[in-house]
Amino acid sequence: MSAPFSSPPPPDEDVVTLMRLLGRIMKAAKKHGGPGGPPELVQRARDAGLAPRHIPVMVTLAMFGSAAVGELAGRIGLEPATTSQLVGELQRAGLVTKEADERDRRRTVISVAAPWRPVVEEFARTKLTAARRTMDALTPVEREHFLRGLRLLAEAQDEVLAETPPADPPPCPLDPPA
């Protein structure tokens, strides 16, 4: 018979180090703007009812230039339908534009709206500085191993989340007792 609360096996030192480092990275990202951005961009997004999930769309467009929804979805790792919804919301807020591709009029490309392009480009540069410095400090082989490790971590996290039923949110202290 097993104990009702069996403790997990002790983590090895590398796992503990990984978790500490990821915690530091997340804390720094949140402390220094997290998913936010320049005040005028954040305010425009808030006024339009947009959320932090919209920011990667604009940053990706600023980094790689105009793209069709399918290309954009692949770059940010979302389904095309989700990406299309985000683009629509950003377009209604005046932060991105949709135009027919000059080379193929059947294709629609999305771009950061001209007035917001310098703001989003500067935001992207600032947010990516640490990642660029990290990648620049690694040899090509180290980069390959580093990225492989991060991919494995992301995939394992996805698997664990798929295996684990969502937890019920804790009760709100303001709700009356059941």
Side-chain angles (χ1 to χ4, degrees):
M1 175 184 232
S2 65
F5 296 105
S6 60
S7 58
D12 65 37
E13 197 168 321
D14 288 342
V15 172
V16 171
T17 300
L18 174 63
M19 297 312 294
R20 283 186 187 142
L21 291 171
L22 289 174
R24 282 178 54 197
I25 291 166
M26 295 306 296
K27 184 178 178 182
K30 288 178 184 176
K31 182 178 180 183
H32 297 287
E40 65 275 18
L41 180 61
V42 171
Q43 191 59 51
R44 177 65 167 264
R46 279 190 190 133
D47 290 347
L50 302 180
R53 66 178 188 211
H54 293 86
I55 301 299
V57 173
M58 291 188 299
V59 168
T60 301
L61 290 169
M63 288 171 39
F64 296 103
S66 301
V69 169
E71 295 167 285
L72 187 57
R75 289 178 183 159
I76 59 178
L78 294 176
E79 293 297 320
T82 303
T83 304
S84 182
Q85 178 186 357
L86 295 172
V87 166
E89 293 163 350
L90 286 163
Q91 183 183 24
R92 284 188 288 284
L95 295 168
V96 301
T97 60
K98 288 174 151 180
E99 297 174 0
D101 187 338
E102 293 174 5
R103 290 169 283 173
D104 181 353
R105 304 295 292 167
R106 297 168 298 172
R107 184 172 177 260
T108 301
V109 292
I110 293 82
S111 305
V112 174
W116 293 100
R117 197 168 297 127
V119 173
V120 175
E121 287 173 352
E122 180 58 29
F123 174 65
R125 268 192 297 281
T126 301
K127 292 309 249 178
L128 298 174
T129 299
R132 283 199 174 105
R133 285 182 188 172
T134 299
M135 298 309 279
D136 288 347
L138 300 173
T139 67
V141 171
E142 290 170 331
R143 281 181 179 208
E144 182 180 330
H145 291 286
F146 177 73
L147 293 174
R148 180 173 184 271
L150 288 177
R151 275 189 208 96
L152 288 171
L153 178 60
E155 290 166 7
Q157 187 65 50
D158 289 345
E159 289 171 12
V160 168
L161 290 174
E163 296 165 1
T164 308
D168 289 330
C172 175
L174 301 177
D175 289 341

